[in-house]
Amino acid sequence: MTTQYDRPPRTAGTPPAPAADPKAPFARRLWRGRPEDPGWARPALWALLAATFVLYLRDLSASGFANSFYSAAVQAGSTSWKAFFFGSLDGGNAITVDKPSAFLWPMELSVRIFGLNSWAVLVPQVLMGVASVAVVYAAVRRRSGAVAGLVAGGVLALTPVAAMMFRFNNPDAMLALLMTLACYFTVRAVEDGRTRWLVWAGVAIGFAFLAKTLQAFLILPPLAIVHAVCAPVRFGKRLAQLGLATLALVVSGGWWVAVVELWPASSRPYIGGSQHNSFLELTFGYNGLGRINGDETGSVGGGGGGMGGGGRWGSTGWDRMFGAEVGGQVSWLLPAALVLLAAGLWATRRLGRTSVTRASFLVWGGSLLITMAVFSYMAGIFHQYYTVALAPYLAAVTGMGAGLLWERREETWAGWALATASVASGAWGYVLLNRTSDYLPWLKWLVLVGGLLAALGLLFLGRAPRNLALGAAALGLAAALAGPVAYTLSTVNSAHTGSIPTAGPAGASMMGFGRPGGRGEGMRGGFPGGMPGGQSQRGQGQTPPGGAAGQGFPGGGFPGQGQGQGNGQPNGQGFPGGQGFPGGTGGTGETGRRMGGAGGAGGLLNGASVPAKARKLLLADAGSYTWVAASTGSQNAASYQLATNKAVMAIGGFNGTDPSPTLAQFKRYVTDGKIHYYIAGGGMGGGMGRTGEARGGMGGNSGTASAISTWVEANFKKVTVGSATFYDLTRKKAN
């Protein structure tokens, strides 16, 4: 029924390009492209990649160090090879980030070369975004032609969450690139049956594991099944190839794990995010099964699964990717992509087992569906920016589906399928734009009307003149992309900082963290997804003079007593309408100052503003200490580390809830003269209640941080610099 290779279609009416001369200069062949491509294809690709690069570079430094938690680790890795390898938060190697360290390596090498600055940290992420666009183009072009490849690459580049995360320093940029490569290599393995392609796919997934642990394994089932069924070699060899690919995955992802687990714990940093100093515990607990069932010991809010079908991190269910918390990030073309996926599988249903076109739909479409399903029902920590993982799969399916249906446009059903996709994208674009009704209110009508008019033209593709057909297709594409283009431009024109960034204009998501001055739009219960007692309402953090921008917790709802006033002290991260913290005596007075100002969820999500006097204080005689300071929680510590370019210990890791260092260890560090100052406030683990009594943190073993705080305050002299409080660990209080 078909040959081993499905003939890649070329654009109708375009003569094939002349065969490339293998003796021609490399630069000419690089510009010309493959012989089967039309002459304009490769220049168009380079134009797409250049435009993506320029778009993602726009005002890049406005985000500063973006997520200061990971930027501090980059700073540490640029000064210490030990910190580089383990992913330490500081050059003194006290504790690591809560992920493997591979995603930090490109940024750390960049900072080693170009110095510590925003561009050195973020440009490697931009390059990963451009590379992802190139890989998606290459994958789609092989099966569906250059035009379809350009559409797919453009869809990826213009997806709002992609435009944000490829300009941000979280692990997701490297993860998305490596998963895209894994899909590409798998399809190449199905094309010619060569083992090397599948081995490369295993290597890509292995290194993706070293970027973001078990999320890398989400697409393993569709990739393995497609190769086992469709590869053009005998069944026994297919199984052997899968075995070799699995071995490549284990080796490429496991070597680092083996070194970390076998390294004596006494001479390596504590594994951040774990409760027992184990990377395997981190992998299968907090970063693994805990994300699925919600039982995340040491997480914000502690362990425990979802509540009322949703949990602390938003409502779960089949429609989660379309909901108010996520929809505007990634789902613009998702309805159209699902229509095109179904149409592509229908069109290829009668092709032979080894059909590469059908295998491509199964690889990219299967990866899209399985990732959507997991994201939709996971009860643990879930942030909107995770959905960047969907963007390459969605883009590839859209490009392949549109290209295949265009080639078969003379068949009536193909025109109907394209028209349905156009209506779906236009109607859904209208819905998403209507959710931010104050943002370009006229655009939603253009999107809706454009999608409907294009659908009318697409219904008659087979009988319409070619120019009219092209016009209808162009109108449909423009209408589908208008919404994401607007949101993407809004994204690249805004700064994004903190731990939970969101794409699009203000109000595009129910959670409004991550953008200076950004507002939370009715976040459920006040914390991501809402905790018991919270009420959905609109809130806004207050920005004090000299502080960082407000990052309000809308409609705050933390279980506990007392009303949180949280006017956002040093870094302006208030808790409007909050109801205290678990186990606390309320959110007013001292708690409001400590939690809203230097730490708590304010410090958890973003760093502190470091005044020049504080920086000068920490740099004085800094060379005499391993850590110029220590503070509870990573974001507070990271801010001071980035400001001074010196190691600052993050007690308790990211949340302040990890049991490291112990009080005994901390006392020994102080006795040995390794730490100069203790910075009061900090993460959720070490706060003090209104009455001055030490309180527990938000999950995990937070007593360690509280015990250290109590011991320091009782024994060492206080130094106040502006609104920040330091304790000089070299000067004891007089008895």
Side-chain angles (χ1 to χ4, degrees):
M1 197 97 184
T2 182
T3 61
Q4 176 179 334
Y5 302 94
D6 296 316
R7 179 181 60 85
R10 58 183 175 81
T11 304
T14 303
D21 180 3
K23 296 182 179 180
F26 175 75
R28 184 182 302 172
R29 285 184 281 125
L30 192 65
W31 178 259
R32 183 67 181 174
R34 294 179 174 272
E36 63 269 23
D37 288 342
W40 51 262
R42 187 55 64 90
L45 168 63
W46 290 119
L48 171 64
L49 297 182
T52 302
F53 184 64
V54 172
L55 177 68
Y56 287 2
L57 281 182
R58 176 174 171 76
D59 205 16
L60 187 64
S61 60
S63 295
F65 287 116
N67 188 340
S68 56
F69 174 58
Y70 293 129
S71 288
V74 169
Q75 182 276 334
S78 70
T79 60
S80 163
W81 287 111
K82 186 175 183 179
F84 178 96
F85 179 81
F86 287 107
S88 300
L89 272 169
D90 60 90
N93 292 289
I95 194 169
T96 70
V97 297
D98 57 356
K99 300 289 186 297
S101 60
F103 79 97
L104 296 167
W105 294 342
M107 293 183 282
E108 289 169 336
L109 292 174
S110 174
V111 170
R112 280 184 177 268
I113 296 171
F114 300 107
L116 181 64
N117 59 77
S118 178
W119 282 78
V121 172
L122 299 180
V123 167
Q125 310 296 92
V126 170
L127 294 176
M128 291 179 197
V130 175
S132 297
V133 171
V135 175
V136 166
Y137 167 85
V140 174
R141 184 213 61 81
R142 294 184 67 83
R143 305 268 48 89
S144 304
V147 173
L150 292 171
V151 169
V155 168
L156 174 56
L158 295 172
T159 299
V161 71
M164 179 182 66
M165 293 313 296
F166 287 127
R167 293 161 46 88
F168 206 76
N169 59 328
N170 278 20
D172 302 78
M174 176 178 281
L175 177 75
L177 171 60
L178 291 170
M179 303 304 275
T180 304
L181 283 168
C183 291
Y184 172 79
F185 290 140
T186 301
V187 174
R188 292 297 303 269
V190 174
E191 276 189 4
D192 58 18
R194 294 184 183 179
T195 302
R196 66 178 185 182
W197 294 118
L198 203 63
V199 170
W200 278 117
V203 171
I205 294 176
F207 275 96
F209 173 84
L210 293 184
K212 209 177 179 187
T213 60
L214 294 184
Q215 187 177 335
F217 295 167
L218 288 185
I219 65 172
L220 279 178
L223 267 57
I225 292 172
V226 169
H227 183 81
V229 173
C230 301
V233 294
R234 57 185 176 80
F235 183 68
K237 185 172 182 180
R238 281 176 258 157
L239 294 182
Q241 289 173 329
L242 287 171
L244 289 173
T246 302
L247 178 62
L249 186 159
V250 171
V251 172
S252 58
W255 68 273
W256 184 88
V257 178
V259 172
V260 171
E261 287 295 301
L262 294 174
W263 198 291
S266 59
S267 64
R268 62 159 169 78
Y270 185 92
I271 303 301
S274 73
Q275 296 299 299
H276 301 93
N277 199 12
S278 167
F279 179 77
L280 292 178
E281 175 200 339
L282 173 68
T283 299
F284 294 102
Y286 174 69
N287 275 342
L289 297 179
R291 300 294 172 110
I292 304 298
N293 59 27
D295 185 11
E296 299 165 302
T297 302
S299 170
V300 179
M307 298 168 289
R312 305 180 182 95
W313 303 98
S315 298
T316 59
W318 68 268
D319 60 343
R320 190 181 201 177
M321 297 299 100
F322 301 93
E325 296 173 355
V326 175
Q329 307 295 299
V330 73
S331 73
W332 297 88
L333 274 72
L334 189 51
L338 295 177
V339 171
L340 294 171
L341 174 60
L345 293 176
W346 173 262
T348 58
R349 69 192 185 282
R350 294 180 180 174
L351 298 180
R353 175 183 66 82
T354 60
S355 166
V356 185
T357 300
R358 183 176 55 213
S360 297
F361 276 107
L362 291 172
V363 165
W364 294 99
S367 298
L368 174 66
L369 293 176
I370 197 169
T371 306
M372 278 181 59
V374 173
F375 284 174
S376 295
Y377 288 96
M378 59 190 287
I381 292 177
F382 176 81
H383 301 311
Q384 295 97 317
Y385 67 79
Y386 290 0
T387 58
V388 69
L390 298 172
Y393 316 142
L394 186 153
V397 168
T398 301
M400 289 189 302
L404 178 62
L405 293 181
W406 176 262
E407 287 295 320
R408 303 185 66 165
R409 62 188 179 277
E410 294 182 359
E411 302 176 31
T412 302
W413 74 269
W416 277 91
L418 282 172
T420 302
S422 181
V423 170
S425 62
W428 185 240
Y430 173 89
V431 171
L432 291 176
L433 289 166
N434 196 49
R435 290 177 179 173
T436 52
S437 55
D438 295 336
Y439 176 73
L440 302 179
W442 49 269
L443 183 59
K444 61 186 178 184
W445 296 108
L446 290 183
V447 168
L448 179 60
V449 173
L452 295 177
L453 289 177
L456 288 176
L458 293 170
L459 284 175
F460 305 101
L461 272 182
R463 294 183 292 245
R466 185 172 183 275
N467 289 340
L468 182 59
L470 286 173
L475 177 60
L477 181 62
L481 289 178
V485 165
Y487 268 48
T488 292
L489 292 177
S490 175
T491 300
V492 300
N493 286 324
S494 303
H496 294 84
T497 59
S499 299
I500 312 179
T502 56
S509 166
M510 289 182 72
M511 287 164 53
F513 310 121
R515 186 175 302 124
R519 292 190 282 186
E521 302 293 334
M523 181 181 62
R524 303 174 191 271
F527 206 71
M531 292 189 181
Q535 306 221 349
S536 180
Q537 65 185 47
R538 185 167 176 153
Q540 182 173 359
Q542 304 297 320
T543 308
Q551 313 271 338
F553 276 62
F558 288 96
Q561 302 175 354
Q563 296 297 317
Q565 304 300 319
N567 288 325
Q569 289 288 326
N571 51 345
Q573 298 178 329
F575 288 68
Q579 298 185 350
F581 281 83
T585 57
T588 59
E590 183 68 3
T591 299
R593 180 182 71 79
R594 289 181 183 275
M595 301 302 249
L604 174 69
L605 298 178
N606 209 344
S609 176
V610 180
K613 289 184 179 179
R615 181 176 180 274
K616 183 178 180 180
L617 177 72
L618 294 180
L619 287 176
D621 200 24
S624 301
Y625 303 92
T626 303
W627 298 278
V628 295
S631 181
T632 299
S634 67
Q635 296 287 27
N636 203 44
S639 298
Y640 287 94
Q641 180 167 309
L642 292 169
T644 60
N645 208 8
K646 301 294 182 181
V648 176
M649 179 187 293
I651 298 171
F654 182 73
N655 301 328
T657 58
D658 298 341
S660 177
T662 64
L663 177 59
Q665 289 173 326
F666 190 83
K667 287 181 177 180
R668 185 163 60 252
Y669 290 144
V670 173
T671 300
D672 293 343
K674 293 186 176 181
I675 310 174
H676 196 174
Y677 290 99
Y678 174 84
I679 306 171
M684 294 197 180
M688 301 283 289
R690 179 175 53 184
T691 62
E693 180 183 355
R695 298 294 173 188
M698 297 192 68
N701 181 359
S702 56
T704 297
S706 295
I708 290 173
S709 174
T710 300
W711 177 73
V712 168
E713 292 178 12
N715 291 279
F716 296 94
K717 290 188 176 182
K718 181 189 299 187
V719 179
T720 301
V721 179
S723 60
T725 301
F726 299 79
Y727 289 87
D728 190 340
L729 301 181
T730 65
R731 300 172 61 193
K732 286 197 171 185
K733 285 183 178 179
N735 293 329

